[in-house]
Amino acid sequence: MVSDTAKNKFSELRQRAQAYLSMKTGHVEPVQEDVQKLLHELDTYQVELELQNEDIRSAQEELERSRARYATLYDFAPVAYMTVSDKGMILEANLTAGDMLGMARGQLINRPFSAFLFFDDQDVFYNNRRKLLETGQQQSFELRLQKNDGSFFYGLVEMVIDSKDCALPGQFLVMVNNISARKEAELIEIRRLKDRYRGIVDNLIEKISRYDPQGRVTFVNDAFCRDYNVEYKDILGTQYLPNIHEEDLPIVKDQIKKLTMLVPDTIIEFRVHMPDGNISWQRCFVRAFFDSEGAIVEYQVVSRDVTDLKVAEAELKNELRVRQLFLDALPCFALLLKNNSRQILASNKVAAKYGALPGKTCHAIWINDEKPCAWCRAQKLWESGESQRMQFWASGQYWDAFWVPVDDECYLHYAFDITEMEKAKQALKKSHDELEEKVAERTLELRQSHAQLLHSEKLAAVGNLAASIAHEFNNPLQSVMTIVKGIGRYGALEKDEHELVELALHECHRMKNLIADLRDFFLPSSGELSQVDIHGMIDLFFLMSKKVFNNKGIRFVKNYGDNIVPISAVEDQLKQVFLNLLNNAVEAISEHDSTITISTEAFGGETIVIHIADNGCGIDPVQMQHIFEPFFTTKSNLKGTGLGLSVSYGIVKKHGGRIDVKSEAGKGSTFSVYLPVKSKYSE
């Protein structure tokens, strides 16, 4: 298709051709119309071609002039231009490239561009070419190029991909600008700065050294050489390190490995074996320098000898330790304070418990105020130079305080807590006043205790008598059982008579068991653990007390829980506990509409609970706190000793359990006994 511009051009040429022909055919004889029209068209085309050829010649002449100008600009540009193929071969080059590289332009063609690169800088070129081909973005960098005569110069190189319409894949343009003059000026300035830098660092007392990533020395100052007795030329380029103490070397290496771009520096303190045989402490400031990609390019170490400082610190620590030992040895509140400011320099353990820490003021501890305490004697201490003493109340306690001068800068302030002593003094008079009254009360209590003791001895005698009677009953009962067995075995009895004999034997066995239980109950405690069936024990008490319950009209209710396993306990002691609790329940209820309920439950397989509840008179709240005290009783002397609950409480506690009580006056009481399945019984 012909573009609109071409159509317009042809139209213009046709108009020009027609105008030209009209001028030439003005005197031609008319011919036949078709022939004349054909000739006219041919003449028109001829003129059009002539005009078109004239325009083409003009365009070619302009193109030649443009090419000449371009060649002049290209060849004589101050920058070297080269076209490089995907294989790295130079395809085109301007005259400046030849002059810059020291050879004719024609000799550059089809030679590898890398042949003109300084050996150490070739990686820079290849890395940038790779980035250019991968990203298509212009690359700019500096490197050294080698001339044909072997000399080199610094060049600023820029590489771009050639136009896509004419370039082959991988082909690119290289532009080189000679920046040797600028680099030389920079190097002169760098040398000047380095000389200035070295003049500065060589006069420092700090030791300065620099290392490459492989640990090779790149620079040390005079102080480094002087202190470590080495020569600069001997250690430059080597992996020289001071003779670091073997215990500190791993710490130094570990700290250096931790340096990153985010944390590029650190301070390390370590010991060094010096050439004179002494050990010195060095405090080093280590900094790592990174390139744009985050790789370490160099380390710088600035170190100073801090041995004297360490010795001073050790002496100060020792002095502070001695002071602290002295303060901690005081059995009181003790502070070492600055004169005038009253700032705490040191405090002992007792004072630290009250928040008296170094840096605070003493009045901030005593009264939590910015102003000194009203009772403070520090001012009088400074004025007189003599120790002071004062007693006062602070922090809810009564103190006997002292202020003692130490030197011109500090003083010792210590105080004894005499609160209990003061309270004892205050209570002494009251105790003395109450003494006569208490003596009278104790005398009365002793008389009551004596009567209760007599009653206890009577009960013990009854117990022994019961055991003796049980033994005497057991012998004739055994004879009766033997006779009944003989009758059943040898007598000519009817079936009904045999049943009566069996019933008689059964009742004899029951009487024998009752006598044995009665005897065991009154035997002294064995103190040995055994497996005790709680339900069986309660059933035994119910059987023994059944007549008492029936006579008093007491209803006995048993609510046994599931999973109640035998527990490890001293059986006769538990019998005493439950007998005491049952007797108390019986005595607390009336004879009408009375109920005693025994419930059991288990907790997690580790604890069982026995609840003994009654609907009796309950316990007065005032008396509740005394019910487990020895000899405390609300019963008459003939009914109670006041030891039952106290003894029961002790037995349960020895088994690792406890007794809880809930009671409401007029509504009854519930005693709950908690016992572990595996007893921790201890005498």
Side-chain angles (χ1 to χ4, degrees):
M1 295 180 66
V2 180
S3 65
D4 292 339
T5 303
K7 289 180 179 180
N8 293 335
K9 186 68 175 176
F10 289 145
S11 178
E12 181 184 352
L13 290 173
R14 179 174 288 276
Q15 290 175 3
R16 290 169 57 191
Q18 288 177 350
Y20 178 77
L21 288 175
S22 64
M23 292 174 61
K24 292 178 65 176
T25 59
H27 304 284
V28 179
E29 294 262 337
V31 292
Q32 292 184 358
E33 184 178 353
D34 292 338
V35 174
Q36 185 179 2
K37 184 177 181 180
L38 177 60
L39 292 173
H40 179 73
E41 288 294 331
L42 290 173
D43 291 338
T44 301
Y45 286 137
Q46 181 180 0
V47 172
E48 286 179 353
L49 290 173
E50 291 175 355
L51 293 174
Q52 190 173 10
N53 288 334
E54 183 179 352
D55 290 340
I56 290 173
R57 284 193 297 273
S58 298
Q60 287 178 341
E61 292 174 357
E62 181 63 28
L63 180 60
E64 289 298 328
R65 287 193 295 271
S66 297
R67 285 179 176 176
R69 287 196 301 271
Y70 168 76
T72 301
L73 292 174
Y74 178 76
D75 286 336
F76 298 103
V79 178
Y81 291 102
M82 288 169 278
T83 302
V84 181
S85 70
D86 60 334
K87 303 298 184 180
M89 308 301 290
I90 299 175
L91 301 178
E92 294 179 1
N94 66 349
L95 293 176
T96 306
D99 294 340
M100 193 175 291
L101 297 175
M103 60 192 311
R105 175 172 60 178
Q107 294 177 334
L108 295 177
I109 307 305
N110 293 326
R111 292 194 65 176
F113 180 73
S114 59
F116 301 99
L117 297 177
F118 196 75
F119 179 78
D120 292 342
D121 295 348
Q122 289 191 2
D123 287 343
V124 177
F125 168 75
Y126 286 119
N127 289 334
N128 281 275
R129 188 182 73 166
R130 176 177 52 80
K131 292 180 182 179
L132 173 69
L133 298 178
E134 289 178 354
T135 64
Q137 296 179 356
Q138 178 177 337
Q139 303 296 316
S140 180
F141 52 93
E142 293 181 3
L143 49 65
R144 288 168 291 182
L145 291 98
Q146 193 164 4
K147 294 183 178 182
N148 191 38
D149 60 2
S151 63
F152 69 90
F153 63 93
Y154 284 93
L156 174 61
V157 180
E158 295 187 19
M159 298 191 305
V160 295
I161 299 293
D162 200 356
S163 172
K164 295 182 179 178
D165 295 335
C166 61
L168 297 174
Q171 182 174 309
F172 58 94
L173 298 180
V174 178
M175 292 161 281
V176 182
N177 190 5
N178 191 334
I179 58 172
S180 295
R182 192 190 78 188
K183 293 296 287 188
E184 182 64 25
E186 291 178 355
L187 291 174
I188 292 173
E189 180 64 17
I190 290 173
R191 282 194 293 270
R192 186 184 68 81
L193 293 176
K194 286 180 68 175
D195 292 341
R196 183 181 177 187
Y197 169 77
R198 185 161 192 100
I200 293 173
V201 299
D202 280 344
N203 292 326
L204 295 176
I205 61 172
E206 286 83 1
K207 295 178 283 293
I208 301 176
S209 55
R210 297 176 74 97
Y211 302 86
D212 65 13
Q214 289 73 39
R216 294 185 293 256
V217 177
T218 59
F219 172 82
V220 292
N221 68 345
D222 288 347
F224 186 97
C225 297
R226 182 175 58 253
D227 287 1
Y228 294 131
N229 194 24
V230 293
E231 292 292 336
Y232 179 82
K233 59 182 179 59
D234 294 336
I235 64 172
L236 190 64
T238 68
Q239 292 183 327
Y240 175 81
L241 279 177
N243 189 8
I244 301 174
H245 195 283
E246 55 276 5
E247 295 179 0
D248 299 341
L249 185 58
I251 300 174
V252 174
K253 291 182 178 179
D254 182 64
Q255 290 295 317
I256 293 176
K257 288 180 180 178
K258 293 180 180 179
L259 297 179
T260 64
M261 292 187 71
L262 296 177
V263 186
D265 53 60
T266 185
I267 296 177
I268 314 172
E269 289 188 353
F270 54 86
R271 292 163 291 177
V272 174
H273 295 282
M274 301 301 289
D276 60 4
N278 294 322
I279 294 178
S280 70
W281 275 95
Q282 301 293 318
R283 178 176 294 164
C284 292
F285 180 82
V286 183
R287 174 178 287 275
F289 297 93
F290 299 84
D291 60 17
S292 59
E293 297 182 353
I296 294 177
V297 295
E298 195 170 27
Y299 296 98
Q300 177 173 284
V301 181
V302 180
S303 61
R304 169 176 287 187
D305 191 319
V306 292
T307 306
D308 294 340
L309 181 60
K310 284 289 185 179
V311 171
E313 287 179 354
E315 291 177 352
L316 179 59
K317 287 181 180 179
N318 185 59
E319 181 180 351
L320 293 176
R321 184 179 64 84
V322 172
R323 286 185 180 182
Q324 193 63 49
L325 289 174
F326 170 73
L327 290 176
D328 288 340
L330 296 176
C332 59
F333 183 104
L335 303 174
L336 186 65
L337 302 111
K338 282 186 178 180
N339 289 337
N340 301 320
S341 67
R342 296 180 173 86
Q343 186 180 35
I344 300 173
L345 298 175
S347 60
N348 68 346
K349 295 179 180 179
V350 176
K353 292 180 180 178
Y354 291 88
L357 301 175
K360 295 184 177 181
T361 58
C362 58
H363 43 83
I365 305 304
W366 286 123
I367 59 175
N368 192 24
D369 199 337
E370 296 180 358
K371 297 180 180 179
C373 309
W375 60 78
C376 184
R377 290 293 179 269
Q379 184 66 37
K380 194 170 182 180
L381 169 71
W382 306 329
E383 294 173 355
S384 65
E386 297 179 356
S387 300
Q388 302 294 317
R389 182 179 182 181
M390 182 69 178
Q391 293 183 350
F392 56 86
W393 282 95
S395 302
Q397 294 171 280
Y398 197 66
W399 301 91
D400 186 11
F402 298 82
W403 291 258
V404 180
V406 176
D407 53 33
D408 294 337
E409 296 182 356
C410 57
Y411 66 96
L412 180 65
H413 173 42
Y414 61 94
F416 293 91
D417 180 4
I418 58 172
T419 307
E420 296 303 324
M421 184 185 302
E422 187 67 18
K423 288 180 179 179
K425 289 180 180 179
Q426 295 175 0
L428 183 59
K429 187 176 182 303
K430 183 179 179 181
S431 299
H432 185 271
D433 294 340
E434 296 174 353
L435 183 59
E436 293 297 331
E437 182 180 354
K438 287 189 175 182
V439 169
E441 291 177 357
R442 294 302 181 190
T443 302
L444 179 60
E445 290 177 1
L446 287 174
R447 290 176 181 174
Q448 293 174 348
S449 298
H450 181 68
Q452 291 171 346
L453 183 59
L454 292 175
H455 186 60
S456 298
E457 291 178 352
K458 291 178 182 178
L459 290 178
V462 171
N464 292 331
L465 179 61
S468 178
I469 292 174
H471 177 72
E472 293 299 329
F473 270 97
N474 196 46
N475 290 332
L477 181 61
Q478 187 66 38
S479 300
V480 171
M481 290 175 64
T482 302
I483 294 171
V484 172
K485 287 181 181 179
I487 293 174
R489 179 179 299 178
Y490 302 109
L493 304 177
E494 299 293 333
K495 180 179 179 182
D496 293 341
E497 292 173 341
H498 271 292
E499 290 178 356
L500 291 174
V501 169
E502 291 296 329
L503 180 61
L505 282 174
H506 177 74
E507 291 300 318
C508 286
H509 278 292
R510 191 162 71 89
M511 290 177 62
K512 181 179 179 182
N513 291 335
L514 285 174
I515 292 171
D517 290 338
L518 182 63
R519 181 194 60 200
D520 292 342
F521 184 80
F522 286 103
L523 284 176
S525 174
S526 64
E528 296 180 358
L529 294 174
S530 61
Q531 294 299 109
V532 179
D533 181 3
I534 294 297
H535 289 169
M537 182 184 297
I538 295 172
D539 291 339
L540 173 63
F541 288 147
F542 175 72
L543 181 62
M544 295 176 61
S545 304
K546 184 176 181 180
K547 183 176 180 181
V548 176
F549 294 159
N550 292 335
N551 291 340
K552 289 191 174 185
I554 300 173
R555 188 162 62 93
F556 191 81
V557 179
K558 294 185 289 186
N559 292 328
Y560 289 167
D562 298 330
N563 302 323
I564 304 299
V565 299
I567 67 172
S568 176
V570 180
E571 184 174 6
D572 51 355
Q573 292 186 7
L574 288 190
K575 288 179 180 179
Q576 183 177 354
V577 171
F578 292 116
L579 181 61
N580 285 334
L581 295 179
L582 284 172
N583 286 337
N584 288 346
V586 171
E587 293 173 358
I589 58 180
S590 62
E591 296 184 359
H592 303 288
D593 193 22
S594 300
T595 303
I596 296 177
T597 303
I598 296 185
S599 306
T600 60
E601 58 180 323
F603 286 105
E606 296 181 357
T607 305
I608 65 169
V609 186
I610 302 95
H611 305 284
I612 301 177
D614 64 71
N615 59 349
C617 61
I619 303 173
D620 187 274
V622 177
Q623 299 174 347
M624 179 70 78
Q625 57 183 335
H626 301 293
I627 60 174
F628 291 110
E629 295 178 2
F631 301 111
F632 177 81
T633 181
T634 58
K635 306 172 186 176
S636 65
N637 291 338
L638 297 177
K639 288 189 176 182
T641 64
L643 294 173
L645 285 178
S646 175
V647 172
S648 299
Y649 178 84
I651 291 173
V652 173
K653 188 174 182 181
K654 286 181 179 180
H655 282 77
R658 71 177 195 273
I659 301 178
D660 291 347
V661 184
K662 294 181 181 179
S663 181
E664 187 175 354
K667 293 187 178 181
S669 304
T670 300
F671 283 78
S672 300
V673 181
Y674 291 78
L675 293 169
V677 173
K678 295 181 179 180
S679 175
K680 301 177 182 178
Y681 181 81
S682 61
E683 287 289 348

